Amino acid sequence: NAGVTQTPKFQVLKTGQSMTLQCAQDMNHEYMSWYRQDPGMGLRLIHYSVGAGITDQGEVPNGYNVSRSTTEDFPLRLLSAAPSQTSVYFCASRTTGGASNQPQHFGDGTRLSIL
Amino acid sequence: KQEVTQIPAALSVPEGENLVLNCSFTDSAIYNLQWFRQDPGKGLTSLLLIQSSQREQTSGRLNASLDKSSGRSTLYIAASQPGDSATYLCAVKVGTGGFKTIFGAGTRLFVKA
């Protein structure tokens, strides 16, 4: 019963490096999303996808790219890491069947530090 | 712009006490409101989801209410236990199609044995 799986769990990068955070779900959920969580600010939506081939921006999309080539995977790319991107990143998924009133399922997060 | 506020930011109570966590939002045009639990170093676990047409939801010792007109929700925890210690977050689903979720910053709860 894997649910939402994020890799890696921890990562340290230098400013300017690039990296991809992986997210995979095995529940055949159409909707997937990426959030960042910073102290005292709750979670903020970065990008989301309502199905393969469809992505859209959330509240804080700058500095991040996403793609959705399959239903299962939704990677998040940092093209040129900046210290301001130090955060904990969460991936979530849910079904869109019927209505949008379905609970989201979260991964355990990726803790990213940019030096 | 929708904003979600949770008060207090932190709460410490003795075991066995009943308690209420508060969540307020600025725009009543929501699809639903969801309460989550987050343990240290972990992701979020959904506790209760209240649809915009509903007034409350219950699960075990938890009861969540929703008053859209006043922009408020409460999470009631009965007979608190040390295992309830965690951060509790509320979130509202907004936007066309309900594809965006706005989170509060959370209330960190500590239940003393």
Side-chain angles (χ1 to χ4, degrees):
Chain A
N1 193 13
V4 179
T5 302
Q6 291 185 237
T7 56
K9 295 188 183 302
F10 303 93
Q11 184 70 49
V12 178
L13 293 178
K14 294 182 179 179
T15 298
Q17 286 185 314
S18 63
M19 125 156 246
T20 299
L21 280 60
Q22 302 291 344
C23 175
Q25 52 91 10
D26 61 358
M27 297 171 282
N28 203 32
H29 285 169
E30 301 91 346
Y31 179 91
M32 295 186 74
S33 55
W34 277 102
Y35 296 87
R36 60 178 289 174
Q37 185 176 31
D38 300 297
M41 298 188 70
L43 278 75
R44 290 182 291 169
L45 182 64
I46 304 171
H47 286 286
Y48 65 97
S49 168
V50 300
I54 306 170
T55 63
D56 206 345
Q57 296 181 348
E59 294 177 83
V60 288
N62 293 339
Y64 307 95
N65 283 349
V66 292
S67 60
R68 185 91 180 272
S69 57
T70 67
T71 299
E72 295 78 17
D73 300 298
F74 190 43
L76 179 71
R77 296 184 184 86
L78 284 69
L79 298 179
S80 179
S84 61
Q85 294 178 304
T86 294
S87 188
V88 182
Y89 291 85
F90 288 101
C91 179
S93 75
R94 64 171 170 84
T95 181
T96 58
S100 62
N101 287 319
Q102 301 296 328
Q104 293 196 74
H105 300 259
F106 281 80
D108 283 344
T110 294
R111 283 143 189 84
L112 182 62
S113 294
I114 315 295
L115 305 178
Chain B
K1 180 184 175 184
Q2 178 74 265
E3 294 183 359
V4 179
T5 303
Q6 292 187 246
I7 295 173
L11 181 64
S12 180
V13 300
E15 181 178 7
E17 189 164 300
N18 302 325
L19 59 99
V20 174
L21 305 181
N22 296 295
C23 173
S24 62
F25 47 96
T26 55
D27 187 342
S28 62
I30 64 172
Y31 284 82
N32 62 43
L33 184 143
Q34 197 166 359
W35 283 93
F36 293 89
R37 169 184 173 138
Q38 184 177 28
D39 293 291
K42 295 293 186 180
L44 280 68
T45 301
S46 179
L47 297 173
L48 291 165
L49 184 150
I50 312 175
Q51 299 187 21
S52 61
S53 58
Q54 297 176 323
R55 297 283 291 183
E56 66 177 345
Q57 283 285 336
T58 299
S59 176
R61 294 183 294 108
L62 306 179
N63 175 277
S65 68
L66 174 64
D67 184 343
K68 274 182 55 178
S69 61
S70 66
R72 294 183 181 181
S73 175
T74 61
L75 178 66
Y76 175 82
I77 302 177
S80 58
Q81 304 170 357
D84 294 330
S85 298
T87 297
Y88 292 82
L89 298 99
C90 71
V92 294
K93 189 155 294 180
V94 299
T96 303
F99 292 128
K100 295 185 179 181
T101 302
I102 308 298
F103 282 82
T107 293
R108 182 175 295 180
L109 174 66
F110 180 62
V111 181
K112 299 172 288 186

